[in-house]
Amino acid sequence: MTFMRRLYLLIFALYLIGPIVVITAVSFNEKRFLAFPPRGFSFRWYAEIFVASDWFNALLNSLMIALASATLAVLIAMPVAYTAWRYGLRYAKALFALGIAPFILPPVIMALGFLLLFTSAGMHGLLINVIIAHAIFLLALPLVTISLGLESVDKSLIEASQTMGASNAVVFRTVILPIAAPFAFAGFAFCFVLSLNEYIIALMTVGFTVETLPIKIFNALRYGYTPVIASIAVLFLLINIAVFSLIAKFSNLTRILGAQD
Amino acid sequence: MQQGSSFTRSLGLIPSSVMIGIFFFVPFVLILMTSVSVPSETGDYQLGFSMEHFERFATWFYIERALFSAGLCALIALLSLLIAYPFTYMLTQFGPRSQTLWLIYILAQLSLSEVLIAFSWQILLSRTGGIANILVMVGLAEKSFAMTPSAGAVLAALVYLAVPFSVLLLYPALSRLDKSLIEASRTLGASPLRTFFTVVMPVTRPAIISSGVTIFVLTLGAIIVPQVLGKPEHWTLSVLITDQAIFNFNMPFASALAVVLLALSASVIAVVTKFSGGK
């Protein structure tokens, strides 16, 4: 049995990592075509990301959008999660449910809705469009993580500090925020990474004026590709691993993902 | 007392309400309105009521596409659960440290966009890429060949895309599973395998069903994999919507297709919830 378990785990791990190994190998190819096993060894496709200005600009666009939309999502989510938890307001709970909804739908529906909204408002291809769209689409993540964090705040702490004369604002700043902050950070990080990799909403809201990395990669895939894509994939995987390791370091990853303490 | 009334508490919610209201609610209304709009004289479309876009959908070509999408996604949900469930069960029995490490990797994998997953499978299945070369090496194939575009390639890549999701969706239920149930079953003499099938799986049935539905809806939204790895006859509804909206500029028809996709997702969720006894 232990042998079967080990074998199964090994096959599962190989399955997950297989394509990554192939991409990584291809990214070190010397020649301008995609071959596996790779021919030769070079870092030129990594250098290309930073040397070729179009790839680098796309990377910068993606990073900027991801930072801005993750910040916006946390700012929208925080009061909703807080009011729903602290006062149990029915309105806040309804808003919470609405905020979760976009994430559950096939993204193409939200993408089309945003496209219709921004065209009828006369806002064509502005950078702010994709920032708002990503923030709304990914709002579910900070909502869930922040409310998980708030649930771990002991309500008797709040009562104690109120008895000592602290105002709501002071209670929020000194008691609640320090406990909830790591969870808010986790929500921010989830948004950041998913925004970085999101494709269809970005394409439909700004795709023809502001090029993000996933859009650029997809265009490259359709019209003859280069190994730069492979090196970018590796770069992205490293960014993702770094971000999630940070979450694991500063807050409780297994708990955020639904395990009990 | 210093606690404000519920009115003043609600004031703090205004900015969030405005954002959610405008950017979630309005897009939906716009999709619905556009899907029943009528053509204007300028060749554009204007407000009105007409079912012509839905009539265009109600032809065998589009119905077949919808059925294909639903069947493909159901198969993917099934396969990815079969792969992910035993793993997730084992994962929850690891120590906290190795659980965290595995989860970091799975999250990183999951956030690789569909674009990159499509790309990696394109290499894996190409003539110069991995799998075909391996088949030649072990003597299963005479010479290297390309395995794309094909329905199998679409299926393989989408299952790969769905597996990390399945793990994360099953994780809460399996990690909260009452360990004393397993111990009891073991003490009573059941083998680990028997315990797995007669205790663990029945107890987590609601989670299995809801994860399956979520993966179904998720893969229904896939856009790039079917385009890059499949032939046009493997395109799903989501691809057709994108195609109509971006390349044909036919917003009313794209909206009608989006309404169909929405209805399809919603009805699958409703039916499954009803038959699984609700949750």
Side-chain angles (χ1 to χ4, degrees):
Chain A
M1 190 58 203
T2 8
F3 173 73
M4 292 297 288
R5 274 169 94 95
R6 293 233 171 100
L7 186 70
Y8 171 79
L9 281 173
L10 181 73
I11 293 174
F12 187 84
L14 281 178
Y15 173 65
L16 280 192
I17 211 163
I20 308 291
V21 170
V22 173
I23 287 193
T24 314
V26 166
S27 73
F28 291 113
N29 250 334
E30 217 178 307
K31 298 274 153 46
R32 179 174 270 282
F33 65 89
L34 299 160
F36 183 82
R39 325 271 156 90
F41 180 87
S42 90
F43 279 108
R44 61 181 281 205
W45 307 116
Y46 286 87
E48 192 95 338
I49 305 176
F50 301 95
V51 176
S53 64
D54 51 339
W55 285 100
F56 189 65
N57 282 339
L59 178 67
L60 281 187
N61 284 337
S62 284
L63 286 173
M64 190 163 60
I65 290 168
L67 272 179
S69 60
T71 310
L72 185 59
V74 170
L75 288 179
I76 300 175
M78 186 62 106
V80 177
Y82 175 70
T83 323
W85 166 77
R86 181 86 194 269
Y87 307 114
L89 275 190
R90 194 172 295 172
Y91 175 64
K93 287 180 179 165
L95 211 53
F96 194 101
L98 267 184
I100 301 276
F103 195 61
I104 308 171
L105 299 168
V108 67
I109 294 179
M110 286 311 293
L112 184 66
F114 286 127
L115 176 63
L116 291 170
L117 177 69
F118 291 126
T119 16
S120 50
M123 297 163 67
H124 292 288
L126 304 181
L127 188 68
I128 186 86
N129 295 2
V130 70
I131 293 174
I132 294 174
H134 276 180
I136 296 291
F137 176 60
L138 301 171
L139 189 58
L141 302 162
L143 276 176
V144 169
T145 58
I146 292 173
S147 64
L148 266 172
L150 290 173
E151 273 164 28
S152 62
V153 177
D154 191 346
K155 291 223 173 173
S156 63
L157 271 180
I158 298 172
E159 276 163 32
S161 56
Q162 274 177 335
T163 323
M164 312 277 255
S167 68
N168 270 334
V170 172
V171 173
F172 180 77
R173 217 177 48 240
T174 57
V175 180
I176 298 169
L177 203 57
I179 302 177
F183 290 85
F185 166 72
F188 173 88
F190 280 122
C191 280
F192 176 80
V193 163
L194 287 183
S195 163
L196 212 54
N197 286 291
E198 200 284 330
Y199 159 77
I200 185 64
I201 293 176
L203 180 68
M204 287 220 196
T205 48
V206 292
F208 298 102
T209 44
V210 184
E211 207 171 32
T212 64
L213 260 189
I215 295 175
K216 180 140 184 65
I217 296 170
F218 182 54
N219 288 339
L221 274 182
R222 282 171 68 131
Y223 311 112
Y225 41 27
T226 80
V228 178
I229 307 172
S231 53
I232 283 177
V234 174
L235 186 72
F236 265 45
L237 192 73
L238 292 177
I239 293 178
N240 294 350
I241 290 180
V243 171
F244 293 121
S245 306
L246 279 177
I247 300 180
K249 192 163 163 53
F250 291 110
S251 60
N252 188 338
L253 189 65
T254 51
R255 194 183 140 81
I256 288 174
L257 295 175
Q260 258 158 350
D261 281 328
Chain B
M1 291 297 287
Q2 51 171 309
Q3 303 245 339
S5 67
S6 70
F7 174 73
T8 48
R9 287 171 194 159
S10 305
L11 283 181
L13 290 175
I14 289 177
S16 305
S17 310
V18 170
M19 289 299 285
I20 294 174
I22 294 181
F23 295 105
F24 176 60
F25 210 62
V26 176
F28 264 93
V29 176
L30 284 174
I31 290 179
L32 287 177
M33 278 168 31
T34 312
S35 71
V36 293
S37 63
V38 291
S40 72
E41 281 151 21
T42 56
D44 216 351
Y45 58 93
Q46 61 188 27
L47 283 186
F49 186 82
S50 126
M51 291 303 281
E52 64 174 296
H53 308 295
F54 288 97
E55 278 160 22
R56 182 173 165 201
F57 169 78
T59 51
W60 179 239
F61 175 77
Y62 286 105
I63 291 176
E64 196 202 347
R65 297 269 53 86
L67 291 176
F68 172 81
S69 308
L72 179 76
C73 296
L75 184 62
I76 290 162
L78 183 71
L79 289 175
S80 60
L81 282 179
L82 279 176
I83 296 173
Y85 190 89
F87 168 74
T88 316
Y89 177 58
M90 290 180 197
L91 176 70
T92 57
Q93 295 174 329
F94 295 164
R97 222 189 137 71
S98 55
Q99 272 194 42
T100 306
L101 285 177
W102 268 103
L103 287 171
I104 290 174
Y105 183 70
I106 284 168
L107 279 168
Q109 187 96 353
L110 166 127
S111 48
L112 274 186
S113 63
E114 203 197 330
V115 180
L116 292 176
I117 303 272
F119 171 66
S120 66
W121 281 85
Q122 194 170 38
I123 300 175
L124 270 174
L125 300 174
S126 71
R127 200 174 50 76
T128 53
I131 293 179
N133 284 346
I134 292 172
L135 289 181
V136 174
M137 264 191 279
V138 297
L140 277 173
E142 294 237 323
K143 61 182 191 118
S144 196
F145 58 98
M147 296 178 218
T148 62
S150 69
V154 176
L155 187 69
L158 284 180
V159 168
Y160 182 80
L161 187 76
V163 163
F165 269 100
S166 322
V167 172
L168 289 187
L169 288 166
L170 294 167
Y171 181 73
L174 280 166
S175 72
R176 288 172 183 213
L177 185 72
D178 192 347
K179 297 280 187 293
S180 60
L181 282 177
I182 299 171
E183 280 161 28
S185 141
R186 299 283 287 126
T187 321
L188 291 170
S191 67
L193 219 53
R194 194 183 158 105
T195 306
F196 179 76
F197 283 111
T198 56
V199 177
V200 178
M201 284 196 41
V203 169
T204 52
R205 206 178 75 112
I208 298 177
I209 291 168
S210 69
S211 309
V213 172
T214 313
I215 296 162
F216 176 85
V217 174
L218 176 100
T219 41
L220 212 46
I223 290 179
I224 293 137
V225 167
Q227 278 182 80
V228 173
L229 299 177
K231 298 179 192 140
E233 65 256 35
H234 306 134
W235 286 10
T236 54
L237 274 182
S238 295
V239 184
L240 296 177
I241 295 171
T242 321
D243 205 45
Q244 287 295 336
I246 303 186
F247 299 106
N248 293 335
F249 305 107
N250 190 342
M251 295 304 164
F253 189 49
S255 301
L257 288 177
V259 173
V260 172
L261 181 65
L262 198 59
L264 187 66
S265 316
S267 51
V268 167
I269 294 173
V271 167
V272 173
T273 322
K274 189 164 161 41
F275 283 100
S276 62
K279 210 204 103 181

